[in-house]
Amino acid sequence: MTPTDPRLVIEGLQQLVCEPRTATFYADYASLVAALCRADRTLVIEALDGQWLLRGCHGTPEDAQWLVGQIKGAMIEQADRLGYAHETVTWPDGWASIVLLIPLTDVAKTYLLLTLPERERGALKEALVRALLTKDLRPLAVPKPQTAVAAQSGQGQDTSLLDLLDLATLVMQQRHFGAAALSLVNGVARQLELAQAALCWREASEGVLLAVSHMDHFDKTSRLVRGLEAAAGEVLSVDQVVRAERTPAGGGAQTAPAAHLALLENMPDIDGVLSLPLRDESGMTQAVLILMTKPRAVDDEVLNHLLLVLEMIYPRLREQYQQHLWVGGRLKARLLDGLQLLLGPGRPWVKFGAVCVALTLLVLTFGRWDYRVEASCQLTTDSTRQITAQIDGRVDQVLFDTGSLIHEGDALLVLDLVDLKQQELEVLSEMRRYQAEEDKSRATLAIADSQVARFRREQVEARYKRILLQQEQAVLRAPFDGVVVEGERRNLLGASVRKGDKLLRVAQVQGLYLAIQVPEKAIRDIEPNAQGSMLLLSQTGHEVRFKVASFVPMAQVRGQEGNHFLVKAEILGQPEDWWRPGMTGLAKIEVGSRSIAWIVFHDLVDLVRLKFWF
């Protein structure tokens, strides 16, 4: 008959695991676990050749077979990854139950499956804790009775596994990491009758103190805090339980790491220091629980129970710890976990940096890349015409902007005509006056005076024709169909010009080629007929291929940018309709394959050579 007292159930489980296995082993185990976890059904199933084999059950076989059919692949994957999985199922009669799946530590790949009524959802965490404590089915040594252990050690310890289970349940029920950490250290200190308990968490290769029993706040720079963090660092480095105790006579200390011995020396009111590692699923120590004992040490059985409970509650603590961090802290913690899993514990950033440096050196040394010379470029055409001022005057109107399309005969720019109009009126007045004098002299038969008046009139007529011509020249017109490539409206309006001043430049949209300004230090790498690509600033998503045609063998000074050589390139393919002379962009001329180290450091090498002449 299955006992109902939790203490008797635990003793029955221990006895069952220690004894040789019988045919009813899994059935007895399922019944004991059902009593311990207060489950209405318990199954032990084994994965064999892609199918489930029922090893034992607490409940009817029909219910067991139905539950096995409800196990999904996602639930098994979650259980293997997290150590447990649960979901809600509805029975054919309409009742709902919570199904809990836990992988067992056994000689075969077996799982423990529990069901709890939906109304008992509040007890799910407690049932999970109790079930996790029973998952190890590997044979153990026969435990000694508590009285025998007490007689051998000369002392008794009242802490039982159930007390630690209650503590684990309390810790896992906390919603925030700070409350959970304080519950852990305070509960351990109370149940084990410790002088003090502290919890430290790994940050890189160091331990940071997060909670101390009976202290809500503490000075992070105090000697006690530094001593506890140093002791935690020693546990992180050795990755095992560390114990330091005073000798019975009180005249020294046992062999232990330096930080633990320093704690004993600086705290004369304690008799020992016991540091326990909290490991993640990969077996790496991520936190340390430090116990300061007085007047008696923690015996081995309680220590084993405590380690088991810490292994069980660590995932919950870790989840709460990451939740209380800000977003950047969470990303950093996950990255750090990945680095420690990949590179091992201890200075993960240094190791990661060393790996990155090594990979970078390998890539720089043996890697090759297609090197391309970058330079600014411009669409250019030789079919251009400079529009100059034909007379002196002031610009009155500018009818086109740079880049505007023009047609032959279109008026581009108009000079001020006020003075010419005034001169035209004056000349017309003189013409009428000389005409009147000529008519008067002819009427009085003054032939000589009539001839003089006629000659003067003809002279004024010539001036009049010249004024009309100047009025026509005051309007600058397009010589052909094309586009305005130079001449800004804002710079020309109102400007005084003299005859021959350059005002506009117009170009025909034909015969386009690239004018590339290559820096002097890069011209040595460009070969004849080299090809490349160009991106116009007006449409960076359209790549244009070109081929180097020629270059001007004389450098041009471009201010602070230094000397540049003009390279002319032929555009491969048909020009687009929207292209205009004067458009600029970025050209990359292909030079060939070069080592990555040369691409990165050749400018620096040239600078050093110019500096030291070697």
Side-chain angles (χ1 to χ4, degrees), residues 426-442 449-461 463:
E426 293 176 356
V427 169
L428 289 175
S429 176
E430 290 184 14
M431 289 175 60
R432 288 192 293 271
R433 181 165 60 82
Y434 289 133
Q435 183 67 42
E437 290 179 0
E438 180 183 359
D439 295 340
K440 181 180 178 180
S441 298
R442 187 181 297 111
D449 292 340
S450 174
Q451 290 291 332
V452 170
R454 183 171 64 85
F455 292 148
R456 288 179 176 176
R457 179 178 57 78
E458 292 177 352
Q459 183 179 15
V460 173
E461 287 179 352
R463 288 173 53 195

Side-chain angles (χ1 to χ4, degrees), residues 47-62:
L48 185 63
D49 297 333
Q51 296 183 354
W52 294 110
L53 180 61
L54 182 63
R55 288 296 189 181
C57 70
H58 173 75
T60 63
E62 293 78 9

Side-chain angles (χ1 to χ4, degrees), residues 513-514 516 528-529 547-553 566-570:
Y513 64 90
L514 287 179
I516 307 174
N529 298 322
K547 181 178 69 173
V548 173
S550 62
F551 69 93
V552 179
L566 177 61
V567 175
K568 296 182 178 181
E570 174 187 352

Side-chain angles (χ1 to χ4, degrees), residues 469-535:
L469 177 61
Q470 289 179 341
Q471 290 181 359
E472 292 181 2
Q473 293 177 338
V475 180
L476 303 182
R477 300 185 179 275
F480 46 70
D481 294 344
V483 62
V484 179
V485 295
E486 290 184 11
E488 294 290 341
R489 182 196 299 265
R490 63 176 182 274
N491 296 331
L492 293 175
L493 279 176
S496 297
V497 297
R498 300 181 63 84
K499 184 177 181 180
D501 287 349
K502 298 178 181 180
L503 302 179
L504 301 172
R505 179 183 291 275
V506 295
Q508 290 180 299
V509 187
Q510 61 183 16
L512 292 174
Y513 64 90
L514 287 179
I516 307 174
Q517 297 290 340
V518 180
E520 181 180 4
K521 65 180 181 180
I523 194 66
R524 65 185 180 186
D525 300 319
I526 299 178
E527 300 291 339
N529 298 322
Q531 295 189 4
S533 302
M534 181 266 294
L535 294 178

